[in-house]
Amino acid sequence: NMKLACEMVNQIVSNPESSIGVLVDSDLDGCMSATAIVQFLKSISVNPKIFFHPIKAHGLTTYNIDEIENANLNLLIIPDAGSNDTQYCSRLTSHGTKILVLDHHEIVEENPYAIIVNHHLDKTGKLNTDLSGCGVTFKFIQAYAEDNAIDIGDLYYDLVATSIVTDVCSMLHPENRALVEYGFNHITNPMVATMFEKFNRRGNNPLGVAWGIG
């Protein structure tokens, strides 16, 4: 659904009056995913509303649906969650909010109320289904940037690498290994740089990040 996702977001972003929200999932992969998409949106002059969970929770829940619904968004982006949130996605879309899910979790429930970018939807067996939520979010950013001739340089790789390690994604897939190695050697986020410097007592490697930051 990557093409559909890029087309929808481009259509909404092109209207300066549009209101866009991002729901931050309450673990490190969720924080990295939200950071990536929020920073990218800001780089294209979009200042999204950011929603946090009041407790440890994932996706759309009874704890946040009212706040998000009352925000009257044109678009809600849910990174690292949301694939199976059919009930609340239906509720939001009935009020005119479009939903983009950028997720890596297994799909157990049909959800026709959102555009879902999730490698588990792949029927070819060619996609990396061990990627983190931030990794899937990064794939969307790459696709959108390519479609719109935006140069993102080496941004976001450090977020992806950190998320792969801390979300305990398999390192058997060569793409994950490449993303981790490249990301740990291309730190561009100031907060990640500070954490790497202060907390990775075992080095800038999976062990150091898992125990120092995760």
Side-chain angles (χ1 to χ4, degrees):
N1 294 327
M2 190 67 83
K3 182 176 176 60
L4 284 173
C6 290
E7 289 174 349
M8 178 185 70
V9 173
N10 198 40
Q11 182 180 21
I12 293 174
V13 165
S14 64
N15 181 359
E17 301 300 319
S18 293
S19 177
I20 298 174
V22 174
L23 177 59
V24 184
D25 213 50
S26 56
D27 60 13
L28 196 141
D29 188 16
C31 290
M32 298 288 115
S33 305
T35 297
I37 195 64
V38 167
Q39 289 189 344
F40 178 71
L41 290 171
K42 287 185 175 182
S43 76
I44 58 173
S45 302
V46 175
N47 191 29
K49 297 178 181 178
I50 303 173
F51 300 90
F52 294 93
H53 292 280
I55 62 169
K56 172 70 172 177
H58 301 284
L60 291 168
T61 70
T62 184
Y63 300 104
N64 57 34
I65 186 64
D66 290 339
E67 179 188 10
I68 295 171
E69 188 175 57
N70 292 335
N72 296 316
L73 302 171
N74 298 105
L75 171 65
L76 175 66
I77 301 175
I78 309 176
D80 189 34
S83 292
N84 302 300
D85 296 344
T86 307
Q87 176 186 352
Y88 291 128
C89 285
S90 172
R91 180 170 156 180
L92 287 178
T93 55
S94 70
H95 293 280
T97 299
K98 294 186 182 297
I99 301 169
L100 173 61
V101 167
L102 304 170
D103 195 14
H104 72 129
H105 295 97
E106 293 277 359
I107 295 175
V108 297
E109 185 174 340
E110 186 176 354
N111 184 359
Y113 303 103
I115 291 181
I116 300 174
V117 176
N118 185 320
H119 45 215
H120 291 295
L121 290 171
D122 175 48
K123 304 301 181 185
T124 68
K126 296 179 180 179
L127 294 187
N128 172 14
T129 54
D130 294 321
L131 202 56
S132 63
C134 187
V136 174
T137 302
F138 179 58
K139 295 286 188 179
F140 167 76
I141 291 171
Q142 284 184 311
Y144 188 92
E146 183 176 337
D147 283 353
N148 292 276
I150 300 169
D151 182 11
I152 60 174
D154 287 331
L155 295 175
Y156 316 118
Y157 282 99
D158 50 351
L159 304 176
V160 176
T162 303
S163 74
I164 288 172
V165 169
T166 58
D167 221 48
V168 200
C169 299
S170 173
M171 292 294 286
L172 294 176
H173 198 287
E175 184 181 33
N176 281 6
R177 297 184 67 84
L179 285 167
V180 167
E181 182 169 351
Y182 192 83
F184 286 175
N185 286 286
H186 293 80
I187 306 296
T188 60
N189 182 282
M191 183 65 175
V192 172
T194 299
M195 290 192 293
F196 268 52
E197 179 183 351
K198 291 184 176 294
F199 303 128
N200 289 356
R201 298 183 181 89
R202 304 187 187 190
N204 291 348
N205 52 55
L207 191 65
V209 170
W211 290 99
I213 293 176

